[in-house]
């Protein structure tokens, strides 16, 4: 079981903490505001009132024993930076931070943060990618350069088998499921013949997924 400490229980931090716990992780949630801690207490493993800017508080919580520390103090740059410095000095193995903007991101990256996200920006990029693609039904971003795309079967693929299309070799993508007549065929066989009206669920890197949208 992986363990996480989530520092900062605004909308982003509290949602992340709850979902991690639902997925079976051990989660310690922390915030300087007692009311936020009380609101989440029943949804995580432990919830405490504390300030990440205080190294002694973090040390007493044994942060170095957690697999990952998540700093969700996006709006307070100083608090975010000081908390990051404390976690780095205490030897936390992996640090994930929420940033407010690109400047904040650059500062955190210079401090050695393992992963920095700007949630609003990433959500906007995903939405823009979906809205500008007429044939895309949904897009799920897995990482900075990989995702899962759901789209109607291209006309050129209709009537051809997956073996014949050989999209993995030709396009660098994997068809992980096909939705047809209200049913979902997970890991379809190579002899599956694509039919008109099929919806394909495709996994690949950003460039490959962009290419398949233009077919």
């Amino acid at each position: 079981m992986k363990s996480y400490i989530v520092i900062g229980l605004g909308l982003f931090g509290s949602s992340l903490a709850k979902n991690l716990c639902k997925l079976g992780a051990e989660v310690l949630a922390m915030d300087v505001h007692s009311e936020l801690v009380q609101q989440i207490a029943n949804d995580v493993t432990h919830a405490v009132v504390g300030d990440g800017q205080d190294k002694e508080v973090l040390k007493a919580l044994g942060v170095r024993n957690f697999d990952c520390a998540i700093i969700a103090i996006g709006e307070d740059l100083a608090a975010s930076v000081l908390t990051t410095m404390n976690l780095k000095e205490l030897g936390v193995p992996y640090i994930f931070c929420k940033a407010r903007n690109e400047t904040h991101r650059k500062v955190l990256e210079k401090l050695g943060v393992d992963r920095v996200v700007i949630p609003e920006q990433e959500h906007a990029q995903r939405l823009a990618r979906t809205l500008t693609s007429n044939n895309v039904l949904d897009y799920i971003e897995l990482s900075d350069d990989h995702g899962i795309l759901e789209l109607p079967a291209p006309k050129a693929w209709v009537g051809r088998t997956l073996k014949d299309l050989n999209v993995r070799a030709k396009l660098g993508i994997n068809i992980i499921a096909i939705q047809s007549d209200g049913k979902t065929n997970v890991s379809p066989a190579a002899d599956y013949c694509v039919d008109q009206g099929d919806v394909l669920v495709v996994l690949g890197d950003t460039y490959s997924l962009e290419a398949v949208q233009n077919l």
Side-chain angles (χ1 to χ4, degrees):
M1 179 188 298
K2 284 195 172 183
S3 57
Y4 301 82
I5 177 170
V6 180
I7 303 171
L9 300 176
L11 290 174
F12 177 77
S14 60
S15 178
L16 190 55
K18 290 176 183 178
N19 279 287
L20 285 169
C21 208
K22 286 180 181 178
L23 291 171
E26 180 182 344
V27 180
L28 169 62
M30 186 176 83
D31 198 283
V32 293
H33 301 291
S34 59
E35 62 272 18
L36 294 179
V37 173
Q38 290 173 4
Q39 288 173 15
I40 202 173
N42 294 327
D43 298 308
V44 295
T45 313
H46 303 288
V48 298
V49 178
D51 189 349
Q53 298 177 82
D54 189 331
K55 189 190 295 185
E56 293 305 313
V57 169
L58 296 175
K59 189 175 182 180
L61 291 172
V63 293
R64 67 186 306 168
N65 298 317
F66 285 85
D67 295 308
C68 174
I70 299 166
I71 305 172
I73 320 170
E75 297 305 313
D76 191 335
L77 178 59
S80 174
V81 168
L82 288 172
T83 300
T84 299
M85 292 173 64
N86 286 338
L87 292 171
K88 290 293 290 183
E89 291 178 11
L90 290 171
V92 176
Y94 191 92
I95 301 176
F96 177 103
C97 286
K98 173 189 175 185
R100 182 176 57 188
N101 50 41
E102 287 297 334
T103 300
H104 190 178
R105 181 204 292 272
K106 289 177 182 178
V107 171
L108 293 172
E109 288 176 343
K110 285 188 177 297
L111 291 174
V113 171
D114 297 285
R115 175 81 190 277
V116 183
V117 297
I118 306 176
E120 296 82 0
Q121 182 185 87
E122 296 197 3
H123 290 160
Q125 289 172 345
R126 176 183 169 186
L127 179 59
R129 189 189 302 274
T130 302
L131 292 176
T132 55
S133 301
N134 294 329
N135 62 333
V136 174
L137 303 178
D138 191 23
Y139 177 79
I140 300 173
E141 185 176 30
L142 299 177
S143 67
D144 290 339
D145 52 6
H146 283 80
I148 294 176
L149 195 68
E150 183 182 275
L151 77 164
K155 291 182 180 179
W157 292 9
V158 174
R160 303 177 66 185
T161 65
L162 298 185
K163 181 179 180 180
D164 181 39
L165 291 170
N166 197 16
V167 294
R168 184 172 186 177
K170 294 178 179 178
L171 296 172
I173 61 173
N174 290 285
I175 298 175
I176 58 176
I178 296 178
Q179 299 169 4
S180 180
D181 295 326
K183 298 180 180 179
T184 301
N185 182 354
V186 179
S187 297
D191 61 357
Y192 180 90
C193 186
V194 178
D195 194 7
Q196 187 172 357
D198 283 357
V199 174
L200 311 180
V201 183
V202 180
L203 169 67
D205 61 50
T206 304
Y207 299 105
S208 299
L209 292 179
E210 288 178 356
V212 78
Q213 291 175 45
N214 297 321
L215 293 174

